[in-house]
């Protein structure tokens, strides 16, 4: 008998027929005598719909009330799955975030899980009951509903698995594993049997939305055994493992593990900022105080006038707030005007091989130049290089890079 967490994403939960399919998989694990906690997402499209309601209600909405609204999608699917399981003869009940509770920080819309009380889960398992837990939601110490950021059900699942010391955390989604890049835009992408926590973390953090970044960080810290697999077929998926489990084929290791893209960043340029010590602090301190994450930054050399342009990216969802913060800080910063563009995309290549090999970034720049794709900004880390490009070229850029790094699946490479 094992203790397992099964997480089902939005596509797997979209409609009663699909929820029945999910319930069949849950029943199979329960029939085998396992303790089963199921973490569910809202039906696909539902969270977007709820987010849009908030934006329509007020562009500068109160994030605490936003959380009340967007957390509701998962409440619906957790109740529905419990109903379907019961109808199949499996004792089940839903446990909302506040009922367990799942305690989080008060960073609304991107809250972090602090602790999960497992007493009620343990009691449910003792009664041979399946516990259905809505992902994405939690509760602050002062009893307000929170959400964990988009894609946060993955993090809920890993956190539940860590808290209940589960043997496995199976993340069921609409693709059959982790690929070298998004298989929906690159049909030649290759499925990976295994990927290290570190590489998955980096891929997720630059946009591979198959797992939420924080879920991978948590799995790595808590040593949770995570597998990504499809809910539509019976076949093995991708295991996220420690580096030592891949070491065996070290010689064969690809230089680059994968490529990701992120269309959810917007470019902001402050034109003619006075070039003096402390100038950039006047820009980024108020943004940090407003909890707005700045990613790529480019500061150009000063013009003759003694002014310089500063370009950076923020999450598109935060663009309105960022522009509001910059407008309020205008006198302090002293810029002439602000330009913004959300039709941009960040494309990144990731691989631990970058640590020991020169020329990885050069291959990227050359491949993009060859297709006349202009680079708007660049950022690098030890195992990643990212470029910002016009969003219209996203698919072309990802495909070209996939081929340039030799990642195309063997049977398709010659096409
Ligand atoms: P869920 O609703 O199950 O959480 P998501 O839509 O959040 O599903 O994540 C699954 C999607 O992630 C896939 O449909 C795929 O388009 C996308 N994706 C992006 N990069 C990758 C990758 N490297 N491997 C697999 N899927 C990826
Ligand atoms: N429903 C939430 C979202 O769409 C959380 C999740 O599905 O992981 O972001
Ligand atoms: Mg997801």
């Amino acid at each position: 008998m094992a203790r397992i967490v099964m997480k089902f994403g939005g596509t797997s939960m979209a409609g009663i027929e699909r929820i029945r399919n999910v319930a069949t998989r849950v029943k199979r694990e329960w029939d085998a005598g396992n303790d089963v906690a199921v973490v569910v997402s809202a039906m696909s499209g539902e969270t977007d719909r709820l987010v849009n309601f908030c934006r329509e209600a007020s562009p500068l909405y109160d994030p605490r009330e936003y959380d009340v609204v967007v957390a509701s999608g998962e409440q619906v699917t957790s109740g529905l799955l419990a109903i379907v399981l019961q109808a199949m003869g499996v004792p089940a009940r839903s446990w909302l975030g506040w009922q367990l509770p799942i305690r989080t920080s008060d960073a609304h819309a991107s809250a972090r899980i602090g602790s999960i009380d497992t007493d009620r889960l343990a009691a449910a398992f003792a009664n041979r009951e399946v516990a259905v837990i809505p992902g994405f939601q939690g509760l602050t110490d002062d009893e307000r509903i929170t959400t964990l950021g988009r894609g946060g059900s993955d993090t809920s699942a890993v956190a539940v698995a860590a808290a209940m010391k589960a043997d496995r955390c199976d993340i069921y989604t609409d693709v059959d594993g982790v690929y070298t890049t998004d298989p929906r835009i690159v049909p030649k992408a290759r499925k990976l049997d295994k990927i290290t926590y570190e590489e998955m973390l980096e891929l997720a953090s630059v946009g591979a939305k198959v797992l939420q970044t924080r879920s991978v960080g948590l799995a790595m810290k808590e040593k949770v055994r995570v597998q990504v697999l499809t809910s539509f077929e019976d076949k093995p998926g991708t295991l996220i493992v420690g580096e030592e489990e891949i070491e065996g084929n070290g010689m064969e290791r690809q230089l680059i593990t994968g490529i990701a893209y992120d269309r959810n960043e917007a470019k902001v340029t402050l034109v003619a900022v006075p070039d003096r010590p402390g100038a950039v602090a006047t820009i980024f301190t108020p943004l940090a105080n407003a909890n707005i994450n700045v990613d790529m930054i480019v500061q150009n050399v000063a013009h003759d006038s003694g002014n310089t342009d500063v370009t950076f990216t923020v999450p598109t969802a935060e663009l309105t707030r960022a522009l509001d913060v910059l407008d309020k800080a205008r006198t302090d910063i002293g810029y002439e005007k602000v330009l913004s563009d959300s039709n941009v995309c960040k494309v990144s290549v990731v691989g631990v091989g970058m640590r020991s090999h020169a020329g990885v970034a050069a291959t990227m720049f050359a491949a993009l130049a060859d297709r006349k794709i202009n680079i708007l900004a660049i950022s690098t880390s030890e195992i990643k290089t990212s470029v910002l490009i016009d969003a219209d070229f996203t698919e072309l850029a990802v495909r070209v890079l996939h081929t340039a790094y030799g990642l195309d699946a063997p049977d398709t490479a010659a096409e």
Side-chain angles (χ1 to χ4, degrees), residues 40-338:
V40 294
S41 287
M43 294 192 194
S44 60
E46 179 63 7
T47 310
D48 286 342
R49 194 176 76 96
L50 297 169
V51 168
N52 285 333
F53 278 141
C54 294
R55 290 199 183 126
E56 207 181 320
S58 166
L60 291 173
Y61 48 75
D62 176 352
R64 292 166 299 189
E65 299 304 343
Y66 163 98
D67 276 350
V68 172
V69 176
V70 301
S72 66
E74 273 74 8
Q75 174 162 341
V76 172
T77 47
S78 57
L80 287 172
L81 178 58
I83 291 173
V84 173
L85 282 167
Q86 288 168 11
M88 288 180 174
V90 179
R93 77 153 275 190
S94 61
W95 292 99
L96 302 185
W98 64 268
Q99 291 171 320
L100 283 174
I102 296 176
R103 291 280 174 198
T104 73
S105 69
D106 61 1
H108 285 274
S110 57
R112 289 182 167 267
I113 296 179
S115 65
I116 298 181
D117 194 329
T118 53
D119 290 354
R120 293 180 146 158
L121 293 180
F125 296 149
N127 288 333
R128 282 286 290 141
E129 214 174 75
V130 170
V132 185
I133 302 166
F136 188 47
Q137 56 174 253
L139 188 72
T140 63
D141 284 340
D142 57 356
E143 318 285 302
R144 299 208 63 162
I145 304 283
T146 50
T147 62
L148 311 180
R150 297 306 304 271
S153 298
D154 298 328
T155 303
S156 307
V158 173
V160 169
M164 63 185 232
K165 302 198 174 11
D167 300 287
R168 274 170 26 220
C169 180
D170 291 338
I171 309 263
Y172 289 86
T173 183
D174 56 2
V175 285
D176 59 3
V178 178
Y179 281 71
T180 44
T181 191
D182 188 344
R184 297 200 187 282
I185 71 162
V186 182
K188 292 176 179 178
R190 241 178 332 115
K191 185 173 145 189
L192 303 165
D193 296 332
K194 290 180 179 175
I195 182 170
T196 64
Y197 289 112
E198 194 186 11
E199 286 167 322
M200 190 64 240
L201 187 64
E202 197 81 32
L203 267 182
S205 75
V206 290
K209 67 169 186 161
V210 62
L211 286 177
Q212 197 200 31
T213 311
R214 276 162 44 204
S215 71
V216 187
L218 190 61
M220 178 152 90
K221 180 165 151 273
E222 301 285 339
K223 301 199 169 44
V224 176
R225 223 171 154 73
V226 175
Q227 183 178 192
V228 176
L229 65 176
T230 172
S231 63
F232 299 106
E233 271 177 273
D234 284 318
K235 59 168 158 176
T238 301
L239 276 175
I240 323 290
V241 298
E243 189 123 8
E244 65 289 350
E245 285 191 55
I246 302 203
E247 219 59 88
N249 52 0
M251 296 284 284
E252 305 277 305
R253 256 339 252 290
Q254 291 278 350
L255 187 58
I256 297 300
T257 311
I259 300 175
Y261 61 93
D262 186 355
R263 288 199 180 99
N264 299 314
E265 291 205 24
K267 180 170 75 114
V268 177
T269 300
L270 296 182
V271 178
V273 177
D275 190 22
R276 57 178 164 76
V280 287
T282 62
I283 302 171
F284 297 116
T285 307
L287 289 169
N289 290 342
N291 265 326
I292 297 170
N293 269 334
V294 172
D295 182 16
M296 307 173 106
I297 302 176
V298 184
Q299 183 180 357
N300 296 313
V301 288
H303 309 300
D304 291 343
S305 59
N307 291 333
T308 177
D309 295 346
V310 179
T311 296
F312 53 91
T313 60
V314 295
T316 310
E318 304 283 10
L319 180 60
T320 313
R321 277 201 318 126
L323 294 177
D324 184 54
V325 167
L326 292 167
D327 188 49
K328 290 194 173 113
R330 181 166 190 168
T331 337
D332 257 5
I333 306 170
Y335 60 84
E336 192 177 288
K337 63 177 171 179
V338 52

